[in-house]
Amino acid sequence: MKTNLLAPSALCLLLLSTLTVMSNATIAPALPGLANEFSGTPSADLFVKMLLPIPALFVVIFAPILGWTADKFGRRNQIILSTLMFAISGAAGAKLAGLEAILISRALLGICVAGLMTAITALIADYFAGQQRSQFMGLQQAFSNIGGIVFIVTAGYLASISARLPFYIYALAIFLVPLVFVSIKDNKPINSKDNQLPEDTDVNSGWKRILVGCAVFLFCHLVIFYILPTQIPFFMVDIGIIDPSKAGLAMGAGTLAAAISGVFFGKLVAKIHSHGVAFAGFMTMSMGMLVLSQASSFGLVALGCALMGVCMGLVMPNFMVTGLAFVPSDKRGLASGVLTSSIFIGQFVSPLVTSALISALAYSHFYLVMAGVTLALAVASAFMLKAQSVL
């Protein structure tokens, strides 16, 4: 039986998934305006730059803890509380007078994102099994990326009016709370029992090893993928493309490609299995790095970004599905916390690692090195997943 996307609970989970993108991306267009507003504040330059990564840091810290609480006290309650606090803490930046207060609200936002991501991922594992789980994870990735496009574009427009207006976008989360109340239930599968596959029988004793392997590959993937938002704008200036709108379009090409490939993830994993998807995904990113190493025009940069996006749309759901496949049902929240932390650690580490390499190698050689690294990841990840024969 195919995934019933018309089920209120399924639609609710997809809509909730769009919120996780908002944690970092929404206020990005407002940063220059905020820097100007607080220009007289001591350490304003540093504090404004910290507004973007601070939620990710708190996701890393709290995701394993909130994964455990989702197992202990229920996914539904955690989603309701996290969504309410997400709306309040996110929108607070529009009214808070001090930069330090806005930083604290951003830290609280990160805790809410950790609560949402862990509980949502655990519920998907509860509700779906096998092929249906793969299809739904792919759709979740697509919704997250589409949400990112919509929110960033909207935030850019609002930031042109006032640097404080983009914060109000977070308040939209409040409208999802009634939908969660009426549609989300703890541990009540959407699909019938005959859809339960062997990986869901809680008998595999090697689930910790598989989970750690998936977390490591997710971390490596995010370190490389975050070249897109952190380095591509500077790379484009370096090759003479100084129009900021073109940098936005190039990054948008990557986000759109991730959304499209996420839609097809479920069908692809059914044909070539998880190890084939991992190999194809990382190979696509390797080709993207090769294109960027030779790029001297906007078209080639956009193509390289799109190839990176294809990898994101395939690799993210692939390792999330695999990482949860053998986990006992009472440990899925904790497992989703581990996977979520690995994603945000990768985001946090990426600019530190890639900036150092770019300084040492220059862009063209840097991209060639990354092409080699992603090729190695393609082989290693395929080997690991083939050995497990998870899907």
Side-chain angles (χ1 to χ4, degrees), residues 38-47 99-100:
F38 291 103
S39 58
T41 304
S43 304
D45 186 58
L46 173 62
F47 285 164
L99 195 50
E100 294 86 351

Side-chain angles (χ1 to χ4, degrees), residues 228 232 236 245-255 298 301-303 305-306:
L228 192 63
I232 290 297
M236 293 180 71
S245 67
K246 288 190 175 180
L249 288 172
M251 290 186 286
T255 306
F298 169 73
V301 174
L303 175 60
C305 291

Side-chain angles (χ1 to χ4, degrees), residues 210-221 339 342 377:
I210 299 170
L211 177 65
V212 169
C214 290
V216 168
F217 281 112
L218 280 173
F219 165 79
C220 293
H221 166 62
L339 296 172
S342 70
L377 288 172

Side-chain angles (χ1 to χ4, degrees), residues 23-58:
S23 60
N24 289 342
T26 299
I27 67 161
L31 293 184
L34 290 170
N36 183 61
E37 179 182 340
F38 291 103
S39 58
T41 304
S43 304
D45 186 58
L46 173 62
F47 285 164
V48 169
K49 289 181 179 178
M50 286 299 294
L51 291 176
L52 223 56
I54 202 72
L57 178 62
F58 278 79

Side-chain angles (χ1 to χ4, degrees), residues 12 15-17 19 75-91 108-109 111-117 119-120 170-181 184:
C12 183
L15 291 172
L16 286 167
S17 297
L19 300 182
R75 311 5 173 157
R76 180 177 182 269
N77 291 336
Q78 183 161 305
I79 288 175
I80 292 170
L81 180 60
S82 297
T83 304
L84 281 170
M85 292 305 300
F86 180 98
I88 295 169
S89 61
L108 292 173
L109 182 72
I111 297 173
C112 296
V113 171
L116 281 170
M117 290 188 71
I120 290 168
Y170 294 103
L172 295 174
I174 204 75
F175 294 106
L176 293 179
V177 174
L179 184 58
V180 176
F181 264 108
I184 298 298

Side-chain angles (χ1 to χ4, degrees), residues 89-105:
S89 61
K95 291 296 185 180
L96 293 172
L99 195 50
E100 294 86 351
I102 298 176
L103 275 171
I104 293 172
S105 72

Side-chain angles (χ1 to χ4, degrees), residues 154-192:
T154 305
Y157 171 74
L158 293 175
S160 68
I161 302 172
S162 168
R164 296 299 191 108
L165 286 180
F167 286 99
Y168 284 116
I169 296 176
Y170 294 103
L172 295 174
I174 204 75
F175 294 106
L176 293 179
V177 174
L179 184 58
V180 176
F181 264 108
V182 300
S183 65
I184 298 298
K185 305 294 180 185
D186 277 325
N187 300 320
K188 185 178 180 182
I190 293 174
N191 302 311
S192 58

Side-chain angles (χ1 to χ4, degrees), residues 327-382:
V327 176
S329 58
D330 62 344
K331 297 291 190 295
R332 285 172 180 160
L334 178 61
S336 66
V338 171
L339 296 172
T340 299
S341 286
S342 70
I343 292 168
F344 280 86
I345 292 171
Q347 291 182 18
F348 204 80
V349 168
S350 178
L352 304 177
V353 174
T354 57
S355 295
L357 287 174
I358 289 168
S359 296
L361 300 173
Y363 281 108
S364 58
H365 292 123
F366 165 74
Y367 288 129
L368 287 173
V369 169
M370 289 297 101
V373 171
T374 47
L375 176 62
L377 288 172
V379 174
S381 62

